[in-house]
Amino acid sequence: MRGEPKPAGHNAGWHERVRGYVESGRRIGRVRVVRRPLTDYQRYQFAWGIPGNIAAGEDIRVLDVTRDDHGLPLTGRDWWMFDESRIAHLNFRPDGTQINREAYEGDPARYVTWKRVALAHAVPFEEYAADLDA
């Protein structure tokens, strides 16, 4: 936000990890749920984080819920899904820093449904970002 250039090697560890997943035949992706106006953190991710992640092989899509939540439970709780069978909840402090991750022990069926709904309505990051610039 101060107009400083992105540091060399920004997020290099994650990019290396993603490339390793992709080279081994695995897929990694996410849907970023946003509501306009974008937060400072979302603008940072869009400018510095996401483009490098995509270049490393991550499939990143954006679901803008400004006008329609598509029936998704938008509680603000972030979660990861592994192989449509394991769920991890991410816990954050009010300032956005991550506290921890905890395994969800329940039935993953509703998360699988939410994933499918999100993917059905999300657009590729590049498409969404181009609309922001228009």
Side-chain angles (χ1 to χ4, degrees):
M1 291 178 59
R2 292 186 302 251
E4 296 174 7
K6 181 167 48 171
H10 178 267
N11 218 11
W14 177 248
H15 298 158
E16 184 177 323
R17 186 180 232 176
V18 169
R19 280 191 293 276
Y21 292 148
V22 172
E23 288 168 4
S24 73
R26 293 179 279 179
R27 293 183 38 214
I28 185 168
R30 67 179 93 190
V31 173
R32 298 288 307 156
V33 178
V34 300
R35 187 181 318 266
R36 294 187 195 209
L38 298 181
T39 67
D40 290 344
Y41 181 72
Q42 289 166 333
R43 289 187 294 129
Y44 151 75
Q45 280 199 318
F46 278 37
W48 281 20
I50 292 174
N53 294 359
I54 290 171
E58 190 173 353
D59 177 19
I60 300 180
R61 298 171 181 273
V62 178
L63 176 59
D64 189 325
V65 296
T66 304
R67 293 192 176 100
D68 187 351
D69 66 11
H70 307 288
L72 295 169
L74 302 175
T75 62
R77 177 156 230 180
D78 201 356
W79 48 273
W80 292 337
M81 178 186 296
F82 303 92
D83 301 324
E84 294 198 349
S85 62
R86 294 182 306 143
I87 309 299
H89 287 167
L90 286 67
N91 299 309
F92 295 90
R93 291 182 181 89
D95 70 0
T97 57
Q98 192 175 126
I99 300 167
N100 62 18
R101 301 167 202 140
E102 63 183 296
Y104 172 73
E105 302 297 336
D107 183 354
R110 64 183 174 159
Y111 290 87
V112 172
T113 298
W114 297 336
K115 172 189 168 188
R116 289 188 181 132
V117 170
L119 285 170
H121 295 285
V123 298
F125 170 76
E126 297 89 343
E127 182 180 326
Y128 188 81
D131 285 346
L132 287 176
D133 294 336

